[in-house]
Amino acid sequence: MHEVSLAGGILKIVEDAAQREQFTRVTRLHLEAGSLSGVEVRALRFALETMAPGTCLENAQLDIDTPPGQGWCMRCGVGVELVSRGDACPHCGGYQIQPTSGTELRVVDMMVEDD
């Protein structure tokens, strides 16, 4: 389950920001895990909730969006929406599609408090 490692990296990003920006608590954390990122959102949420106690993420609301993937079909030269890697182009049926978005896992924003 690589989501535990990803959750640890997200926690590090948040804690580094807390130290740098001088806040003590995150009330809301907004993440984006694209549908082509390979991230199991439920597992990531569980890992973050498990790691949160005793950190600035304790009791934070976790919002995780999963935007659809986008790709460029090299065969017919159009942009297409992708539900998963390996999908065929809906226009030509070809499989020569280069993902262009939806592969990212990122912290979008967070709401914070200073005690």
Side-chain angles (χ1 to χ4, degrees):
M1 181 190 308
H2 76 287
E3 282 77 3
V4 172
S5 176
L6 295 173
I10 291 167
L11 182 57
K12 172 111 173 73
I13 288 168
V14 171
E15 288 180 330
D16 288 350
Q19 185 176 20
R20 183 179 62 250
E21 302 298 327
Q22 311 257 317
F23 59 84
T24 55
R25 185 167 119 62
V26 176
T27 58
R28 181 180 161 271
L29 178 64
H30 181 197
L31 304 174
E32 192 174 86
S35 63
L36 304 178
S37 66
V39 174
E40 174 56 50
V41 173
R42 286 183 20 204
L44 178 62
R45 181 181 300 280
F46 178 78
L48 282 166
E49 290 171 350
T50 301
M51 292 178 176
T55 72
C56 62
L57 277 180
E58 187 168 7
N59 298 318
Q61 175 185 331
L62 298 174
D63 296 329
I64 306 174
D65 294 334
T66 54
Q70 299 288 323
W72 180 258
C73 178
M74 292 183 256
R75 188 170 168 192
C76 64
V78 298
V80 297
E81 187 171 306
L82 297 172
V83 175
S84 64
R85 291 184 186 264
D87 284 352
C89 173
H91 301 286
C92 71
Y95 290 93
Q96 298 171 318
I97 300 176
Q98 178 65 42
T100 57
S101 69
T103 60
E104 307 84 11
L105 171 62
R106 64 189 189 106
V107 175
V108 176
D109 61 23
M110 57 184 122
M111 293 178 69
V112 302
E113 286 182 351
D114 188 21
D115 283 339

